[in-house]
Amino acid sequence: MAEQPVVQQPGQGYPQGQPMQYAPQPVGYQPGQAPPPAQYGGQYNTQYGTGMQPGYGQSGGPPPPPGPQPTQQQWMAKPETIPGCPPGLEYLTQVDQLLVHQQVELLEAFTGWETKNKYQIKNSLGQQVYFAAEESDVCMRQCCGPQRGFDMHITDNMGQEVLRVHRDFKCCAGANCCACSDCCAMEIAIEAPVGQVIGYMKQQQSCLAPYYKLMDANQTTVLQVQGPVCICQGPCCTWDQEFVVYSADMSQEVGKISKQWTGLVKEYFTDADNFGVSFPKDLDVKMKAVCLGAVFLIDFMFFEQQQNNNN
């Protein structure tokens, strides 16, 4: 004879002879405590550390979605204050190389409307050290292109402006052979802190290869920069363009500013450039800042114009 199912009557305890069963409770749930709302799901458990739900890369978790995974921006740790060092430049005392990545502006890429340049400045580990943002007049950007005057505001990871690069507008400056006078020579001033000039970069007269002087606050030449004779990047010229940094008497190479090839599509349709800057680690921190400022003058003089012509 088949066994009849036992039916529990109202008011009676659990039937004898049957195994006790409990409804599943959320992980981290305590007796007498109201269960968490259903919409929290795994976030509730993850937040409180008990019964963490398996995620990507964990045992039992779902596989990651196809395609490249997002990477979190890394920031260089702020060093301690150093006596005699301009505030915010302590980062430069720990590095001998910087990477400067110009951000792609979609409006500019699709319409040709010149927008303000923005750059991420990172160390050799890919950690962000500074962020640079251009300030310039909209009419000057459209009409004067790379000849325009600008202020480049360089801020640390806390958003504090620690460095400023200033260039005046000069309508007839830029040609190497005509840079014999101040009115025909491109020049920038580097301030740190803002309002206090710590150095200059000034174009020098030359026939073929561009020359520059990197000077301190007293306009005493500390370093010199020599660029390549032919500055061209395209389908047949995919190598880096190197501006070599020499000692004041040009007897010793001490560093380099390199415009890196970023690929045909990016080079042709945008003006987002990548630069690398190298210098001795024991170089005076103010001259390191001048070398960093030199990147922006080189970018505007040689690589902004090419992209504007393409557009």
Side-chain angles (χ1 to χ4, degrees):
M1 183 174 181
E3 183 177 356
Q4 298 296 325
V6 179
V7 180
Q8 183 180 0
Q9 300 297 327
Q12 294 182 355
Y14 199 87
Q16 297 184 359
Q18 300 292 326
M20 298 184 67
Q21 299 179 357
Y22 297 92
Q25 301 293 341
V27 181
Y29 174 79
Q30 300 297 329
Q33 175 186 357
Q39 62 266 26
Y40 283 96
Q43 297 180 2
Y44 178 89
N45 301 324
T46 303
Q47 179 181 359
Y48 292 96
T50 306
M52 181 181 295
Q53 300 298 315
Y56 297 136
Q58 297 181 357
S59 177
Q69 302 301 311
T71 57
Q72 185 176 4
Q73 176 63 55
Q74 296 181 342
W75 311 87
M76 183 176 177
K78 184 177 181 180
E80 297 181 357
T81 303
I82 301 176
C85 179
L89 299 190
E90 296 89 354
Y91 295 93
L92 298 181
T93 63
Q94 302 181 358
V95 298
D96 59 0
Q97 182 181 6
L98 290 172
L99 306 176
V100 182
H101 301 301
Q102 185 177 355
Q103 294 186 338
V104 176
E105 299 292 342
L106 295 180
L107 175 63
E108 183 174 337
F110 287 106
T111 66
W113 180 266
E114 186 69 27
T115 59
K116 299 177 182 178
N117 290 352
K118 300 180 181 66
Y119 305 81
Q120 284 183 307
I121 303 171
K122 303 178 180 181
N123 60 16
S124 58
L125 301 177
Q127 299 171 330
Q128 182 166 314
V129 183
Y130 298 118
F131 184 82
E134 175 192 353
E135 179 187 356
S136 59
D137 182 78
V138 61
C139 294
M140 188 172 290
R141 286 199 305 274
Q142 311 313 317
C143 301
C144 304
Q147 298 288 111
R148 64 185 181 265
F150 63 83
D151 283 315
M152 194 67 66
H153 302 278
I154 303 177
T155 57
D156 61 12
N157 294 329
M158 303 299 294
Q160 301 295 321
E161 185 174 5
V162 300
L163 199 64
R164 180 177 295 180
V165 179
H166 173 78
R167 185 179 79 162
D168 290 324
F169 168 68
K170 296 182 179 181
C171 63
C172 58
N176 295 332
C177 58
C178 299
C180 54
S181 61
D182 290 343
C183 64
C184 297
M186 287 295 185
E187 182 180 3
I188 58 172
I190 296 88
E191 304 174 4
V194 175
Q196 182 175 338
V197 176
I198 61 172
Y200 301 88
M201 179 183 185
K202 187 175 182 180
Q203 182 185 15
Q204 302 298 301
Q205 185 181 23
S206 62
C207 293
L208 295 176
Y211 281 88
Y212 302 87
K213 286 185 177 180
L214 304 184
M215 302 176 288
D216 60 15
N218 299 320
Q219 298 196 14
T220 301
T221 301
V222 179
L223 301 170
Q224 294 200 55
V225 179
Q226 178 183 354
V229 174
C230 179
I231 301 177
C232 173
Q233 286 194 324
C236 300
C237 308
T238 59
W239 53 82
D240 294 349
Q241 302 292 324
E242 296 184 345
F243 293 74
V244 183
V245 182
Y246 293 95
S247 57
D249 57 2
M250 297 289 291
S251 62
Q252 182 180 3
E253 179 180 336
V254 299
K256 192 175 297 183
I257 300 173
S258 300
K259 163 63 172 66
Q260 301 166 352
W261 172 255
T262 57
L264 181 61
V265 174
K266 190 173 181 180
E267 290 284 346
Y268 191 84
F269 291 102
T270 74
D271 61 359
D273 301 317
N274 290 341
F275 289 87
V277 189
S278 61
F279 36 67
K281 193 170 184 178
D282 58 353
L283 182 66
D284 180 74
V285 67
K286 295 180 181 179
M287 292 311 301
K288 289 184 179 182
V290 174
C291 290
L292 175 59
V295 171
F296 305 112
L297 181 59
I298 291 173
D299 184 27
F300 274 77
M301 286 191 64
F302 298 103
F303 304 106
E304 283 281 311
Q305 182 66 58
Q306 292 180 8
Q307 302 303 337
N308 288 345
N309 292 340
N310 290 338
N311 291 336

